[in-house]
Amino acid sequence: MVSPAIAAEYLESVDPATGEVIARFASTPVAKIPECVERAQQAQSEWRRLLPAQRAQFIGRLRDVLFHRRAEVAEVITREVGKPRVEAIFSDVTVALDTAHYYSNPLRVARWLRPERVPHHNLAVKSKRGEMHFEPYGVIAIISPWNYPLAVPMGQILPALLAGNAVLLKPSEFTPWCGALIGELCDGAGLPEGLVQVVQGGGEVGAALVQTEGVAKVLFTGSVATGRKVAESCARRLVPSVLELGGKDAMLVLSDAEVEVASSAAVWGGFTNCGQACLSVERLYVERSVAERFTELVVAKTGRLRVGPGSEADSDVGPMIRPQQVERVERQLRDAVARGARILAGGKRAARGGNFFEPTVVTDVNHTMELMREETFGPVLAICPVANAEEAVRLANDSVFGLGASVWTRDAKRGREMALQLNAGAVMVNDVISAFGICEAPHGGRGASGWGRTHSRLGLQEMLQVKYVDVDGLARVRKPWWFGYSAELAVAADRFLEFLYAPDWRRRVRQARGALGTLFRKNRI
Ligand code: NAD
């Protein structure tokens, strides 16, 4: 059920292609957030009692509702984010649908959520039967960005629900319509009242949500700067967080790569969603023997891209989301050119004006440039020829970010070996970005790219807290380490260690005989 946000103010949904206001949504007053949390807690107390397979059934219904409304959802994504229709379908709707499909499988879910036996190796605790139980946190806050306004939040809401939690979703203030639609989809699936509530608003609403008593965990996806604030806030309240932050993904093209295919991958990886993807290819390290041909192909293919509104069927690259993002790209390019970079394609605002920016290819770059150090989050590919694979790895790892990377080679073994040397949460050999769309693949970063994982079995685990339970079969026996200490007990304790760990087995048996009587003597407290 969507919260009936009692509005003091409105959020404007703006079409980034035209700057027009296309819808208005009531923002949730900060003062109302504690009430939302309370309602979520009430709903969760029932929801957690359902069997995992029953919760999975709701996820299946959510998938069906999304499937039926997919055209409308894709249309709203295109209008609100500006991305081409094909991308709204492939990157948002398909990923969300497949995630729902994945988490709705009752057998898989039952296997993941059932308690796990914990066999004990130590003789001292052999009488205990140990188990790990997986329990929901309660109310989870999910704070989302605008760039994949369906795929990102759904990839987190679904496992949160499956684990038995309630969710308060705060979509980006740039995509309130997509956020509202997610609420409607949950309604349509018949989820209990209050279980999923959409809290609309900007940063102040996100900040208030993180600070509200009763929010037991925070999943934040967004920029490094905001992620840092969220982490600080969570630390103050001692609640755990998952941070999915920015990236500066490198693509390593080796001399034996399929250059024709790799160049298409670079162009798509750099310019899909107008370069506004956390896993966008931003840095290209290309072995010198193929660098010239690769660069020529990238420049030629970039020149063939059609820049236009996402609503026009043949647009390849839509607008950027807001003027400030365009300005950041311009600033990085200015700095790079001042330090010796050469622009081979694009490099300026597109003739149609507004937030449209020409897909840009740059070379003669180095790591003193902001363009190579900071996330660009715009349509810019920076190509850096390198002497060999070792140099490519060294430069790729010379970054505070560690989200994704790719290696291009016809030699699968070498590709895998290089993948293991890269400092990233995911490395694709001969593909870019696709790991985000694979339900079984854990998604998340290292370093400034954040911590924790979403998607996959690990993404579900993030939504669960572990409880260890053991039951001692020797209920009538006092433990040897309890009170009633004496010099004799210290000797016996040491003999017990000899029994467990002495290298010579004869000595171990001898010591055991001497120790057991003292350890289990009846006159203990
Ligand atoms: P952002 O940090 O500006 O905003 C993200 C969300 O945080 C929004 O909902 C915003 O309203 C909210 N927010 C703002 N201030 C807040 C505060 N003080 N406390 C709590 N919430 C607050 O990011 P953005 O511009 O929406 O998204 C772009 C960034 O997201 C890029 O850096 C991109 O790489 C990253 N991103 C990462 C992933 C990933 O999976 N790693 C996926 C998508 C986007």
Side-chain angles (χ1 to χ4, degrees):
M1 276 268 179
V2 191
S3 67
I6 304 140
E9 285 177 41
Y10 287 88
L11 286 177
E12 288 183 338
S13 171
V14 175
D15 180 344
T18 60
E20 240 180 275
V21 175
I22 50 175
R24 284 193 176 80
F25 291 84
S27 55
T28 308
V30 163
K32 293 282 168 197
I33 293 175
E35 268 173 47
C36 297
V37 173
E38 221 169 281
R39 284 176 55 221
Q41 282 172 326
Q42 280 162 13
Q44 194 263 340
S45 63
E46 297 293 321
W47 176 251
R48 65 171 296 168
R49 291 207 191 101
L50 296 185
L51 294 172
Q54 290 174 309
R55 295 197 294 263
Q57 225 168 12
F58 277 98
I59 308 291
R61 278 190 222 151
L62 198 44
R63 174 201 55 208
D64 297 344
V65 176
L66 173 57
F67 178 74
H68 287 302
R69 294 185 65 178
R70 65 191 186 281
E72 177 199 350
V73 172
E75 160 96 28
V76 171
I77 294 170
T78 287
R79 293 200 68 191
E80 218 172 27
V81 182
K83 66 178 79 181
R85 191 59 182 294
V86 173
E87 292 185 359
I89 294 171
F90 271 142
S91 317
D92 270 290
V93 176
T94 309
V95 172
L97 267 176
D98 200 45
T99 307
H101 193 58
Y102 175 67
Y103 285 123
S104 66
N105 180 317
L107 293 177
R108 184 183 291 133
V109 165
R111 195 174 64 240
W112 282 342
L113 291 177
R114 71 176 167 228
E116 204 176 298
R117 267 297 308 276
V118 180
H120 302 123
H121 79 279
N122 189 329
L123 199 65
V125 288
K126 278 286 185 200
S127 61
K128 292 168 182 291
R129 186 190 159 90
E131 290 155 0
M132 272 194 285
H133 292 255
F134 304 100
E135 299 182 348
Y137 279 91
V139 179
I140 292 192
I142 295 178
I143 300 176
S144 297
W146 48 266
N147 61 340
Y148 291 93
L150 183 73
V152 167
M154 289 297 262
Q156 303 172 357
I157 293 170
L158 298 172
L161 293 177
L162 186 59
N165 299 288
V167 168
L168 292 185
L169 166 69
K170 199 208 78 66
S172 165
E173 59 273 39
F174 296 166
T175 52
W177 195 350
C178 292
L181 269 182
I182 290 175
E184 286 180 26
L185 296 173
C186 294
D187 270 354
L191 287 170
E193 157 81 37
L195 191 70
V196 178
Q197 297 173 60
V198 180
V199 178
Q200 297 274 20
E204 69 299 342
V205 173
L209 189 56
V210 175
Q211 285 158 20
T212 305
E213 208 52 52
V215 168
K217 183 159 184 171
V218 177
L219 270 88
F220 172 81
T221 310
S223 63
V224 173
T226 315
R228 187 169 280 126
K229 289 186 201 160
V230 169
E232 282 169 2
S233 215
C234 286
R236 266 195 296 278
R237 285 190 50 234
L238 289 178
V239 298
S241 59
V242 169
L243 301 180
E244 296 284 9
L245 309 180
K248 188 79 201 164
D249 287 10
M251 173 170 172
L252 286 66
V253 183
L254 305 191
S255 53
D256 70 339
E258 207 60 75
V259 172
E260 171 65 49
V261 177
S263 57
S264 292
V267 170
W268 185 77
F271 305 137
T272 184
N273 215 26
C274 199
Q276 302 166 117
C278 55
L279 291 165
S280 287
V281 173
E282 296 205 349
R283 299 177 293 150
L284 279 148
Y285 301 105
V286 188
E287 273 200 87
R288 208 152 268 140
S289 56
V290 291
E292 197 179 323
R293 169 137 179 76
F294 177 85
T295 306
E296 273 170 18
L297 284 167
V298 167
V299 170
K301 289 174 184 182
T302 299
R304 280 168 33 208
L305 295 175
R306 293 151 304 183
V307 177
S311 53
E312 288 177 12
D314 57 1
S315 295
D316 294 304
V317 180
M320 298 192 69
I321 189 81
R322 290 290 183 274
Q324 300 89 297
Q325 264 75 8
V326 182
E327 284 155 21
R328 178 167 65 180
V329 170
E330 286 178 322
R331 201 179 53 242
Q332 287 195 1
L333 285 174
R334 261 199 313 274
D335 169 76
V337 169
R339 290 167 192 272
R342 235 172 354 114
I343 293 177
L344 303 177
K348 57 184 191 307
R349 291 172 190 243
R352 57 191 324 142
N355 299 338
F356 290 93
F357 198 86
E358 288 183 3
T360 299
V361 183
V362 184
T363 193
D364 292 347
V365 289
N366 62 57
H367 286 206
T368 66
M369 299 169 181
E370 202 186 310
L371 182 70
M372 297 302 275
R373 291 197 320 268
E374 298 296 325
E375 186 177 40
T376 303
F377 220 56
V380 182
L381 279 174
I383 303 180
C384 180
V386 292
N388 50 38
E390 288 68 39
E391 189 182 9
V393 169
R394 183 177 60 73
L395 288 171
N397 286 342
D398 178 26
S399 173
V400 295
F401 294 100
L403 192 57
S406 68
V407 179
W408 290 78
T409 168
R410 270 177 277 183
D411 182 343
K413 182 166 174 280
R414 188 164 177 231
R416 206 178 291 115
E417 279 166 10
M418 286 189 60
L420 297 181
Q421 296 171 42
L422 290 169
N423 185 34
V427 182
M428 289 147 276
V429 178
N430 296 333
D431 205 355
V432 289
I433 303 183
S434 59
F436 183 80
I438 298 173
C439 291
E440 291 81 1
H443 173 68
R446 301 172 174 189
S449 294
W451 56 58
R453 291 294 177 268
T454 54
H455 301 179
S456 79
R457 181 172 50 83
L458 301 189
L460 179 65
Q461 272 173 14
E462 290 281 7
M463 311 297 182
L464 294 159
Q465 20 190 8
V466 176
K467 180 182 281 171
Y468 168 76
V469 174
D470 69 32
V471 179
D472 203 315
L474 295 179
R476 298 167 66 188
V477 179
R478 271 187 283 270
K479 299 291 179 282
W481 51 86
W482 292 356
F483 285 130
Y485 301 156
S486 63
E488 198 189 0
L489 182 59
V491 171
D494 190 62
R495 284 184 167 182
F496 186 64
L497 291 189
E498 294 245 19
F499 166 66
L500 290 180
Y501 309 118
D504 172 6
W505 68 267
R506 276 178 296 257
R507 186 172 169 78
R508 289 168 67 175
V509 174
R510 252 199 327 275
Q511 298 297 351
R513 262 197 262 120
L516 286 177
T518 312
L519 291 174
F520 291 100
R521 190 165 291 162
K522 289 245 164 30
N523 65 350
R524 305 286 299 284
I525 294 165

